[in-house]
Amino acid sequence: MQTIGFIGTGVMGSSMAGHLLAAGHTLHLTTRTRARAQELLNHGAVWHETPAALAPRCDTVCTMVGFPADVEAVYFGADGLLAAARPGTLLIDFTTSCPDLAARIAAEARSRGLRTLDAPVSGGDKGAREATLSIMVGGDREVFEAALPLFNLMGRRIVHQGPAGSGQHAKMCNQIAIAGNMIGVCEALAYARRAGLDPEQVLASIASGAAGSWSLSNLAPRMLAGDFAPGFYVKHFVKDLGIALESARAMKLDLPGLALALRLYRELAEAGAAECGTQALIRRWEASGGR
Amino acid sequence: MQTIGFIGTGVMGSSMAGHLLAAGHTLHLTTRTRARAQELLNHGAVWHETPAALAPRCDTVCTMVGFPADVEAVYFGADGLLAAARPGTLLIDFTTSCPDLAARIAAEARSRGLRTLDAPVSGGDKGAREATLSIMVGGDREVFEAALPLFNLMGRRIVHQGPAGSGQHAKMCNQIAIAGNMIGVCEALAYARRAGLDPEQVLASIASGAAGSWSLSNLAPRMLAGDFAPGFYVKHFVKDLGIALESARAMKLDLPGLALALRLYRELAEAGAAECGTQALIRRWEASGGR
């Protein structure tokens, strides 16, 4: 059993840290809002005020925070991990963040004798709760292999994608595929309504054929029900698509579908839907008039 | 048992007509290239030179031709169905064509005492061969119900979508959803290659989660293998997306994803890929340099 640090106990992080604790590991925690860690503290986790206070106590430190700026602060900040961790410590970032930041963390960590992996996940709350996450991992292969027993406590599809940053790149591929598909799903429903069709009947015709997708089966019914409760937040999708587009541009790769999706989701967030689920994109066509 | 006419025995039409013949119906045929009807003629179907020669012999006439102009010629032409069919005859158009043309056929047919349905399908060669097509039907409900025994010989998901033209509108929804998703799938793979990832490993991470879709599971592997053999032709997809965009514009509906997809597919066709399968869209990103 290891002593593991976990930084960031939001909806996803809490479930993931809970699996580590349940498996018998010793868990040290810090997060922005202590109340959100209370459940884990009740089950025996140990609280620290800062990443720097937590790091020297741990064999492995996991991070699952919000935005790249948060990742940067947790790793590079005055109270950050990189300066405080003991040589040999493994640092795993589960946050969906910038590939180049992951590479920068890896380089700085290497110079300090630390090991790192970038390991963004997909599967949402449900995947985190049920330990069925897909985990996309970047970093040295032998470090990946050393971390596999921990990953196996949290996920089901765990794939080494390449050197540092490759986990983040793979997650960007996931978000890019979703982005194009969400446009198709919304436009299909908008067309159905405008043509006077019953969109439920249209779904009955198309959802299990070549137009079929996870989003069409899972999110289109919520769109039709006007249920915009967040499975995945618009504000986080805007963050992810922004990272993907910036990263694509840095690689001189033209992705017009991604650019369109980012524009539509930014407009949606600016129109007040930042805290809604990504299925709220359908509102764009409702607002433009008529069903 | 009925006497059924079938006009258009291409890849899809041959299989569909074959199911009618196998069920014991008497089959009358015409198609542009007689050789493509030979197999059915060998099994007892009766040949005619024109739709007008075939129509008076039939209780029901099915059409499955290529483009809206072909539908127009078969129905309204000098040797067309509308002038030649006996009152009471049921005319079913399986071609993916314009919703407003379907409505025009229905109006003209009604004035002549004929019954019509627009009934575009999805499911491809395989669905036609295995009689598992999704059939999206527009027209009067009682006519739909009268035609159900025939539809059941050819398909599995058979849905009445509304009045004349509604089958075509539902099929447009199918194509719109596919179009957005194809952009997402291609851009995800293009990003994976450019970032130096192994796209197969990326698919292993993302294909069964929220990015999952029929196209990601079925077409992405063909893209990676450089297999551009047509399941569904680029030239037909360009036709369908053009109909969908024109129809959306007529309804004053702004579909920027569809417009982008049509532009990308038109450029692909103009670049020489009209006879390829729709998965050839990935070539756009290969041509723009580097993996």
Side-chain angles (χ1 to χ4, degrees):
Chain A
M1 289 299 139
Q2 293 189 39
T3 299
I4 303 177
F6 211 103
I7 299 175
T9 53
V11 175
M12 302 280 293
S14 297
S15 292
M16 293 162 72
H19 296 308
L20 301 176
L21 193 59
H25 296 291
T26 299
L27 193 65
H28 291 251
L29 292 182
T30 185
T31 195
R32 195 148 38 190
T33 310
R34 182 171 171 156
R36 302 190 75 175
Q38 198 53 54
E39 172 96 14
L40 290 163
L41 297 174
N42 294 345
H43 285 80
V46 180
W47 176 257
H48 297 268
E49 289 298 327
T50 65
L54 167 152
R57 310 283 299 275
C58 301
D59 308 308
T60 297
V61 182
C62 304
T63 53
M64 181 57 153
V65 295
F67 289 79
D70 303 315
V71 173
E72 186 137 15
V74 164
Y75 281 82
F76 290 99
D79 288 321
L81 290 175
L82 288 169
R86 288 182 278 111
T89 305
L90 170 60
L91 309 176
I92 307 174
D93 186 22
F94 289 103
T95 317
T96 296
S97 173
C98 305
D100 60 346
L101 176 55
R104 206 144 56 77
I105 289 171
E108 177 67 21
R110 178 170 290 122
S111 78
R112 293 172 178 272
L114 307 169
R115 301 172 300 152
T116 60
L117 295 171
D118 50 294
V121 305
S122 77
D125 328 356
K126 187 164 179 279
R129 209 164 45 242
E130 298 174 358
T132 57
L133 292 169
S134 167
I135 309 180
M136 293 154 264
V137 188
D140 293 345
R141 176 166 283 281
E142 70 269 21
V143 179
F144 167 76
E145 278 162 13
L148 260 180
L150 294 185
F151 289 143
N152 282 325
L153 296 173
M154 297 180 270
R156 201 159 48 185
R157 285 187 308 286
I158 298 146
V159 181
H160 183 237
Q161 294 288 351
S166 300
Q168 298 297 349
H169 277 310
K171 178 67 187 282
M172 292 302 122
C173 296
N174 188 70
Q175 304 306 70
I176 291 166
I178 291 174
N181 192 32
M182 287 299 287
I183 296 175
V185 167
C186 289
E187 292 192 353
L189 292 187
Y191 183 106
R193 283 174 161 169
R194 188 62 65 93
L197 303 181
D198 176 350
E200 310 269 0
Q201 292 295 84
V202 173
L203 289 182
S205 279
I206 75 173
S208 51
S213 66
W214 187 94
S215 294
L216 196 66
S217 295
N218 290 278
L219 298 183
R222 294 188 211 170
M223 293 177 193
L224 296 179
D227 169 9
F228 301 128
F232 189 68
Y233 284 106
V234 166
K235 65 182 177 185
H236 289 149
F237 203 43
V238 168
K239 171 200 71 165
D240 294 357
L241 299 187
I243 294 170
L245 193 63
E246 195 180 305
S247 173
R249 280 179 179 155
M251 298 187 291
K252 308 230 179 300
L253 182 66
D254 176 38
L255 300 181
L258 172 61
L260 173 61
L262 178 57
R263 179 166 70 74
L264 296 180
Y265 270 103
R266 275 197 177 133
E267 290 170 3
L268 183 67
E270 285 160 13
E275 306 288 328
C276 293
T278 51
Q279 72 274 21
L281 186 62
I282 191 66
R283 284 193 188 174
R284 178 185 192 275
W285 287 273
E286 292 170 351
S288 73
R291 292 197 170 187
Chain B
M1 289 297 140
Q2 294 188 38
T3 300
I4 302 177
F6 211 105
I7 299 175
T9 52
V11 175
M12 303 280 290
S14 297
S15 292
M16 294 163 71
H19 296 308
L20 301 175
L21 193 61
H25 296 292
T26 301
L27 194 65
H28 291 252
L29 292 182
T30 186
T31 196
R32 195 146 39 189
T33 309
R34 182 171 172 155
R36 302 189 75 176
Q38 197 55 53
E39 173 97 13
L40 290 163
L41 296 173
N42 294 345
H43 285 80
V46 182
W47 176 257
H48 297 269
E49 289 297 328
T50 65
L54 165 153
R57 309 284 299 275
C58 300
D59 307 308
T60 296
V61 182
C62 303
T63 54
M64 182 58 154
V65 296
F67 288 81
D70 302 315
V71 174
E72 186 137 14
V74 164
Y75 281 80
F76 290 99
D79 289 320
L81 290 175
L82 288 168
R86 286 182 283 110
T89 305
L90 170 60
L91 309 175
I92 307 174
D93 186 22
F94 290 102
T95 317
T96 295
S97 173
C98 304
D100 60 346
L101 176 56
R104 207 145 57 76
I105 289 171
E108 177 68 19
R110 178 170 290 123
S111 77
R112 294 173 178 270
L114 306 169
R115 300 173 302 152
T116 61
L117 294 170
D118 50 292
V121 304
S122 78
D125 327 357
K126 187 160 177 281
R129 208 164 47 240
E130 298 173 358
T132 57
L133 293 169
S134 167
I135 310 181
M136 293 155 263
V137 189
D140 294 345
R141 177 166 283 282
E142 71 267 23
V143 179
F144 167 76
E145 277 161 11
L148 261 180
L150 294 185
F151 288 143
N152 282 324
L153 296 173
M154 297 179 270
R156 200 159 49 183
R157 286 188 308 286
I158 299 149
V159 181
H160 183 239
Q161 294 287 353
S166 299
Q168 298 297 349
H169 277 311
K171 178 66 186 281
M172 291 304 121
C173 295
N174 188 71
Q175 304 305 70
I176 291 166
I178 291 173
N181 191 33
M182 286 300 287
I183 295 175
V185 167
C186 288
E187 291 191 354
L189 292 187
Y191 183 106
R193 282 173 164 170
R194 189 63 65 95
L197 304 180
D198 176 349
E200 310 269 359
Q201 292 297 83
V202 174
L203 289 182
S205 278
I206 75 174
S208 52
S213 66
W214 187 92
S215 293
L216 195 66
S217 294
N218 289 278
L219 298 183
R222 293 188 213 170
M223 292 176 192
L224 296 180
D227 169 10
F228 301 128
F232 188 68
Y233 284 105
V234 166
K235 65 182 176 184
H236 289 150
F237 204 44
V238 168
K239 171 199 71 162
D240 294 357
L241 299 186
I243 294 170
L245 192 63
E246 196 179 305
S247 173
R249 280 178 179 158
M251 299 188 290
K252 310 234 179 295
L253 182 67
D254 176 38
L255 299 181
L258 172 61
L260 174 61
L262 179 57
R263 179 167 71 75
L264 297 180
Y265 270 104
R266 274 199 178 131
E267 289 170 4
L268 183 68
E270 284 159 13
E275 307 288 328
C276 294
T278 52
Q279 71 274 20
L281 186 60
I282 191 66
R283 284 194 190 173
R284 179 185 191 276
W285 287 274
E286 292 171 350
S288 75
R291 293 196 169 188

